[in-house]
Amino acid sequence: MPDVPPETAGRRRTRLGLAALLAGAGTLHFVTPTFFDELVPGWVPGDPRAWTYASGVAELGVAGLLANRRTRRLGGWAAFALLLAVYPANIWDVIEHPPTGARGVASLVRLPLQLPLLAGALDVAGVSRRRRTVKG
């Protein structure tokens, strides 16, 4: 197995924070699936519950990759891909549930908050914020 370069304390906090967030969200997909079923856009083919469970499994898997120091870079890329993949559904949710109630406001707030999560995932993957290059 190739050596993994040491990580900074900040990158470690980001990595473990993303892992915790995704593990919690993934678990919630199984604890409260009805909430997540309602987030699946109507234009997505198939059963919303299947998508709820599949995305929960994906979040738990990515959390595992992030939690392991040896797979952290792969976990960063996987987190970035997962967060990017669900972003259209989050936009759809804001359109479908305008920010009039608590759920609508939460949906609206989630959109800009996902941007630093995407940046954090790239940071964990080793993409430099300054130079846009891949680093260890």
Side-chain angles (χ1 to χ4, degrees):
M1 184 166 267
D3 287 336
V4 177
E7 67 183 331
T8 65
R11 189 174 283 171
R12 182 175 187 270
R13 281 191 301 274
T14 300
R15 172 176 64 86
L16 295 177
L18 279 170
L21 180 78
L22 290 170
T27 300
L28 286 174
H29 279 69
F30 296 96
V31 174
T32 58
T34 303
F35 172 81
F36 292 95
D37 293 347
E38 294 172 5
L39 297 178
V40 178
W43 46 265
V44 173
D47 179 34
R49 181 61 52 94
W51 286 106
T52 293
Y53 288 152
S55 59
V57 167
E59 288 176 341
L60 291 169
V62 171
L65 289 171
L66 287 165
N68 185 328
R69 188 182 67 80
R70 293 190 179 269
T71 58
R72 70 180 188 250
R73 289 187 66 193
L74 176 61
W77 285 113
F80 179 78
L82 179 63
L83 291 165
L84 197 60
V86 300
Y87 204 73
N90 293 339
I91 293 170
W92 177 86
D93 187 48
V94 169
I95 294 167
E96 193 67 20
H97 304 99
T100 55
R103 178 190 168 141
V105 170
S107 295
L108 185 62
V109 168
R110 182 176 52 217
L111 291 177
L113 289 180
Q114 202 160 348
L115 298 176
L117 295 177
L118 286 162
L122 287 176
D123 187 39
V124 171
V127 177
S128 170
R129 292 179 189 163
R130 289 186 214 151
R131 297 186 203 137
R132 302 277 188 226
T133 59
V134 176
K135 292 187 174 190

